Amino acid sequence: MNLFYRHIGSGEPVIILHGFLGLSDNWLPFGKKLAENFSVYIPDLRNHGLSPNTNLFDYPSLVDDLEKF
């Protein structure tokens, strides 16, 4: 699955994952602060935000999505 994500900054990578009922927008202000020193990636997990929706929604699928990300 191709997850939607936001990328800001440059340098060593940092990935921020939102929690239950969250989306990448929730972490954007914090990500902008981190982006002063890091390359920040903030994905929307499946069935959240602007990422694709699917009927398959379990932890193994989320892990697989992140490994591919």
Side-chain angles (χ1 to χ4, degrees), residues 10-57:
S10 62
E12 291 292 316
V14 172
I15 299 173
I16 300 174
L17 301 177
H18 62 75
F20 181 66
L21 299 178
L23 61 151
S24 59
D25 287 350
N26 300 128
W27 285 97
L28 200 51
F30 183 71
K32 287 180 180 177
K33 186 66 177 166
L34 283 176
E36 294 172 6
N37 299 300
F38 299 96
S39 181
V40 180
Y41 296 85
I42 314 172
D44 282 334
L45 301 178
R46 67 171 52 207
N47 297 345
H48 291 83
L50 296 175
S51 283
N53 291 313
T54 177
N55 290 332
L56 184 58
F57 187 62

